[in-house]
Amino acid sequence: MVTAKVHGVNDFIQEISAMPGGEKINLCIQCGTCSASCPNANKMDYTPRELIALARAGMRDEVLSSNTMWLCLSCYLCTVRCPRGIVPTYIMHALEHLSMRHYRTRPRVRTARLYRLFSDTVHAFGMIPRLGCMMAYFLQTNPLKALRMIRPALGLLTHGRMPIKAHKLEPEPMKQLKAILDKAEAMGGL
Amino acid sequence: MKYYSYFPGCCMHEETPMYDSSARAVAKALDVELIELDDWNCCGSTPYTVVDELAAFCCCARNLALAEKRGFDLVAACSDCYLILSRTNQHFQHYPEIRAKITEALAAGGLEYHGTVRVRHILDVFANDISSDEIKSRVKVDLSNLKVAPYYGCQVVRPAPSFDDLENPQSLDRLTESLGAKVVPYPLKARCCGGSLILSEDEIVLGLIRKLLENAQANSADLIVTVCPFCQVNLDAYQGAVNRRFKTNFHIPVLFFTQLMGIAFGIDRKTLGLHHNIVSADKILKTLVKV
């Protein structure tokens, strides 16, 4: 409960409720339907139900340093089953976003690197060229792990499913997309 | 003739060219005109939403604005693109502040959007806009010996109720039956394949893929059909990795539903891109399909 005292109980929950999809977090009745539905609940530091309880107790650091939201697959099974109409998937996305800001220089989990890389690539090319993206990701995280991915990657490559040449948006539409995205980023998010 | 704007998505240029070519060929056979959206950009997918939600919405809104100019429904073949584009539409309509910000950002690119585009999944189009009688009338090849597990994955049916049940969808089952193939029970049909977390959390995701393959095999499926590029890549390209990791011996071809439609319609192998499938379907098709 130390965290709650430092940051204030309501700050954190208000931060989450202010994000689209996070509004209903306070309606949670702790029934655990989300955790029972989640394919990855048993791999998480805290189950989705526990994470919501921690967030409501204002335990910001515990929540944002956990691996829970980063194991969310965005399969929305919790969301369609929640009896209170909460959207746990969007709450997970919101927590991922906050965690990313919290640990900007040293993300705690690999998925954060992957997500950042994907979004930077969309911003730069308007598309996601897979080969370049995968190579950059493994160089940034664990080049040795790339060895485990070599066989699936070769399978894709030899079946004409991983073009060497990156597919990009044409210069004119790219200019338009960039103008839109730069403007969006300048507005500083939602 | 029915007309749609078509949003292929990045996967069609990368891992799943056969989804694109088979979808176009099948559409042609059914008098459906899929007009590719000019100069479309990546939908941004879930990762962009996490990093910068507003920019992610604007990324999609550009595509929606381009589609609105043309006026047809916007059809996505990838379930992730479908979900992300639909979500942008919903947030645009439900949150006036988000709408205002998207409108302002689009204006910087000389575009405007009014929220009128209907986003559809290509499964919805082939299963619901085309009658099963029409599908049946195009079938030239007998698939009655083929046992098929229809795999929907997650994002084509969730989160918002749209054209099918959220947890026990039926449209692909019906479509597969119209093609003359046998549909086997597939209880995990709407469970997640792990998506792009295969790159960052491969240990966990290989386990999810294993369950899906096991479930298909336990129900004696000859092959799996799917509607999403991520599902196809995970189940097909990582099937070998699952076998090595868990000492299993799966050999289950994973086709796009449009490839199976094409086989039934007698469209040639090359157009359907069957050579792109890593777990080859050739042997099964040779023994079980009578031309």
Side-chain angles (χ1 to χ4, degrees):
Chain A
M1 292 306 286
V2 176
T3 335
K5 276 183 198 146
V6 174
H7 295 286
V9 174
N10 293 327
D11 285 0
F12 190 38
I13 209 74
Q14 270 168 11
E15 205 173 348
I16 299 170
S17 322
M19 300 173 89
E23 300 92 341
K24 292 187 184 167
I25 190 167
N26 266 326
L27 299 181
C28 176
I29 52 169
Q30 290 286 299
C31 69
T33 303
C34 47
S35 304
S37 307
C38 179
N40 277 348
N42 60 342
K43 314 284 192 311
M44 293 169 167
D45 293 338
Y46 310 108
T47 64
R49 179 192 65 79
E50 287 170 336
L51 200 73
I52 291 178
L54 287 168
R56 288 168 76 185
M59 299 175 82
R60 188 185 165 95
D61 286 341
E62 287 80 350
V63 169
L64 293 187
S65 64
S66 78
N67 72 354
T68 300
M69 53 276 184
W70 295 107
L71 293 185
C72 170
L73 300 161
S74 303
C75 79
Y76 295 90
L77 206 51
C78 53
T79 297
V80 299
R81 289 180 177 174
C82 175
R84 300 291 278 162
I86 301 169
V87 189
T89 313
Y90 289 168
I91 292 177
M92 294 297 162
H93 293 166
L95 292 174
E96 282 173 331
H97 179 75
L98 293 176
S99 165
M100 224 173 210
R101 283 210 322 234
H102 203 68
Y103 300 102
R104 182 173 284 280
T105 49
R106 198 170 62 87
R108 290 280 171 101
V109 285
R110 295 182 296 269
T111 306
R113 290 254 187 220
L114 188 69
Y115 281 10
R116 172 85 61 193
L117 192 66
F118 275 167
S119 58
D120 287 349
T121 311
V122 176
H123 198 129
F125 301 112
M127 301 273 167
I128 302 182
R130 307 298 201 268
L131 187 60
C133 241
M134 271 171 83
M135 277 167 42
Y137 168 73
F138 286 115
L139 284 175
Q140 277 182 20
T141 52
N142 182 357
L144 286 176
K145 226 185 117 190
L147 294 175
R148 293 224 301 264
M149 287 295 165
I150 278 184
R151 285 172 79 167
L154 272 179
L156 289 168
L157 201 68
T158 54
H159 287 78
R161 298 172 61 174
M162 199 181 276
I164 310 278
K165 193 173 170 291
H167 187 87
K168 290 185 218 169
L169 214 56
E170 296 293 322
E172 269 310 303
M174 191 61 227
K175 224 169 92 186
Q176 182 184 50
L177 176 66
K178 225 169 155 26
I180 294 170
L181 295 180
D182 286 343
K183 179 78 190 167
E185 282 179 15
M187 282 191 256
L190 291 173
Chain B
M1 192 65 111
K2 295 185 170 74
Y3 296 91
Y4 302 89
S5 288
Y6 173 52
F7 184 84
C10 304
C11 290
M12 305 300 169
H13 290 300
E14 300 273 342
E15 301 98 326
T16 59
M18 67 283 211
Y19 195 10
D20 186 52
S21 63
S22 59
R24 287 176 197 263
V26 167
K28 206 170 152 195
L30 291 168
D31 291 327
V32 167
E33 183 91 45
L34 295 177
I35 313 160
E36 183 169 338
L37 197 62
D38 293 323
D39 300 322
W40 55 270
N41 58 266
C42 173
C43 72
S45 184
T46 304
Y48 211 166
T49 313
V50 167
V51 175
D52 185 339
E53 203 170 12
L54 178 61
F57 285 145
C58 294
C59 205
C60 280
R62 176 175 176 271
N63 294 317
L64 293 170
L66 294 176
E68 196 172 56
K69 277 192 203 163
R70 199 188 271 157
F72 304 121
D73 286 356
L74 181 62
V75 176
C78 167
S79 301
D80 202 21
C81 299
Y82 166 68
L83 175 127
I84 297 286
L85 290 165
S86 310
R87 185 183 165 181
T88 303
N89 241 350
Q90 282 151 11
H91 280 62
F92 188 86
Q93 272 143 17
H94 293 156
Y95 295 96
E97 335 72 272
I98 295 180
R99 185 187 187 120
K101 284 185 176 181
I102 293 177
T103 305
E104 195 182 334
L106 282 180
L111 287 175
E112 47 186 274
Y113 182 52
H114 307 279
T116 64
V117 174
R118 195 167 154 218
V119 179
R120 312 272 308 272
H121 192 280
I122 198 160
L123 171 64
D124 181 17
V125 170
F126 287 150
N128 296 320
D129 290 9
I130 314 287
S131 73
S132 71
D133 287 342
E134 207 169 337
I135 303 265
K136 281 177 194 158
S137 73
R138 313 283 164 142
V139 173
K140 292 186 184 131
V141 175
D142 179 10
L143 302 183
S144 58
N145 288 326
L146 209 56
K147 295 196 285 296
V148 176
Y151 178 49
Y152 298 75
C154 46
Q155 299 189 336
V156 68
V157 283
R158 292 191 293 270
S162 53
F163 65 92
D164 211 332
D165 190 84
L166 296 164
E167 292 195 48
N168 186 17
Q170 298 298 325
S171 44
L172 183 57
D173 295 53
R174 281 198 312 271
L175 182 60
T176 310
E177 273 164 7
S178 305
L179 297 174
K182 271 199 204 81
V183 175
V184 301
Y186 194 37
L188 298 190
K189 58 162 77 160
R191 289 308 187 106
C192 181
C193 73
S196 56
L197 262 69
I198 186 70
L199 293 176
S200 55
E201 299 287 352
D202 55 319
E203 271 297 307
I204 293 175
V205 174
L206 287 178
L208 297 175
I209 300 171
R210 177 197 185 178
K211 280 187 201 161
L212 293 168
L213 294 169
E214 245 168 23
N215 196 228
Q217 195 170 60
N219 287 290
S220 319
D222 297 313
L223 53 85
I224 296 173
V225 286
T226 179
V227 304
C228 171
F230 290 96
C231 301
Q232 204 281 340
V233 168
N234 281 7
L235 264 56
D236 184 26
Y238 290 90
Q239 202 170 120
V242 168
N243 284 336
R244 284 190 293 280
R245 171 71 182 77
F246 300 107
K247 315 248 182 310
T248 47
N249 198 17
F250 295 115
H251 187 90
I252 308 174
V254 185
L255 303 189
F256 285 106
F257 79 109
T258 45
Q259 287 181 298
L260 190 69
M261 290 175 84
I263 293 168
F265 295 172
I267 297 170
D268 67 285
R269 195 179 175 280
K270 197 165 171 247
T271 308
L272 299 178
L274 287 169
H275 56 287
H276 288 300
N277 290 61
I278 294 171
V279 178
S280 171
D282 289 355
K283 209 174 133 198
I284 285 167
L285 294 178
K286 243 178 230 150
T287 41
L288 296 177
V289 172
K290 287 169 273 177
V291 180

